[in-house]
Amino acid sequence: MAGSGCAGRQYGHILANNDKDMVGSHAAGAATWNPLVDEAVAKLLSRCPPTIQTVGFNTIDGVPGGASPDGVIGSALAAGPATVCFIGIENKSAEEIGDFKDQIYEQIDSQINTAETFRGISRRMVDAALIETRLRPDSLFLPENRHVFAATLGRQGTPVDYLLYATITSGTTDRNKSSQRDYTLTLEMVNLHTGDFTKESAKLRKGYSKTRAGKWWNWGPFDQADG
């Protein structure tokens, strides 16, 4: 009876900054998502233009987005860091990512805000604007919807230059009782004024095995993974 009580015990300890992330045995975890976020954000920010003329998104003659009827954008408010509206994360992978979805969002958002040439918009303001306009994140690819959404944020004093989307995908290769899963995090940044976009991805491969020897058996020094 005394021994059965020990089965419910659990111990914890604080990890130091230089401790390695735990590698999940059944799904992706910190050791997968952290490097994917770091690489994808670094690639994306290195490609985007450093500055942009931000514009106001008031309504002119009934045309949303600060544009006149002939399509001319309203006068610039200021030259400075480009404003990024991070819309959200779409998970198209084979796994449920659970609480990592919010974790990944905050990591990407924080890294965007630490860049000198970019500044982010509060997630609470973004969610409120989506609710007010009754628009889905994927519907913002239509120009008219982009202007309506931007006008809503503009009334709150937050002009928008870029929309940022994140997508998680995976591909799985099975062999007997072992498998390999390739995880990809893709960031797509859309210029709100022109509709032009840039896209960057980061990829990480992870092996799963039923035994400790599975790593050597499938990915050892003799290219066992190849047949």
Side-chain angles (χ1 to χ4, degrees):
M1 294 295 292
S4 62
C6 298
R9 290 184 179 178
Q10 181 170 314
Y11 302 91
H13 62 280
I14 302 298
L15 299 176
N17 290 335
N18 58 348
D19 288 334
K20 291 184 178 180
D21 287 324
M22 181 181 292
V23 178
S25 60
H26 292 77
T32 300
W33 302 126
N34 289 341
L36 282 177
V37 169
D38 291 343
E39 181 181 348
V41 173
K43 285 182 176 180
L44 186 70
L45 295 185
S46 67
R47 286 190 56 185
C48 289
T51 58
I52 192 169
Q53 290 291 114
T54 57
V55 299
F57 290 99
N58 55 322
T59 301
I60 300 177
D61 295 331
V63 180
S68 59
D70 60 0
V72 178
I73 298 294
S75 60
L77 295 178
T83 305
V84 179
C85 179
F86 188 7
I87 300 300
I89 300 172
E90 185 177 11
N91 179 26
K92 294 184 177 180
S93 73
E95 300 176 6
E96 293 292 334
I97 60 177
D99 57 355
F100 262 108
K101 186 172 185 178
D102 285 331
Q103 178 89 347
I104 294 169
Y105 183 102
E106 295 299 335
Q107 285 180 293
I108 295 174
D109 193 47
S110 296
Q111 291 190 31
I112 292 290
N113 277 289
T114 57
E116 294 182 357
T117 53
F118 295 91
R119 62 172 177 264
I121 298 175
S122 169
R123 183 178 186 178
R124 298 179 189 277
M125 296 181 68
V126 174
D127 291 342
L130 287 172
I131 293 173
E132 180 178 341
T133 58
R134 298 181 181 180
L135 293 171
R136 300 186 313 275
D138 56 354
S139 68
L140 297 180
F141 281 94
L142 296 175
E144 181 179 346
N145 291 342
R146 285 203 306 269
H147 288 309
V148 171
F149 179 72
T152 301
L153 284 173
R155 287 195 297 270
Q156 303 174 23
T158 309
V160 184
D161 298 310
Y162 292 103
L163 301 178
L164 177 62
Y165 295 82
T167 306
I168 295 171
T169 56
S170 66
T172 306
T173 304
D174 294 314
R175 186 174 74 175
N176 298 323
K177 295 183 179 181
S178 298
S179 64
Q180 175 182 313
R181 182 158 289 166
D182 298 0
Y183 299 91
T184 302
L185 173 62
T186 302
L187 298 180
E188 183 174 1
M189 190 174 281
V190 181
N191 187 313
L192 190 94
H193 313 307
T194 65
D196 296 335
F197 72 94
T198 184
K199 182 183 292 188
E200 286 290 350
S201 298
K203 181 178 178 181
L204 189 147
R205 301 180 300 158
K206 185 178 178 183
Y208 295 93
S209 304
K210 295 294 184 181
T211 65
R212 288 185 177 273
K215 179 180 178 181
W216 178 88
W217 181 258
N218 292 290
W219 295 277
F222 303 109
D223 292 328
Q224 295 97 312
D226 186 16

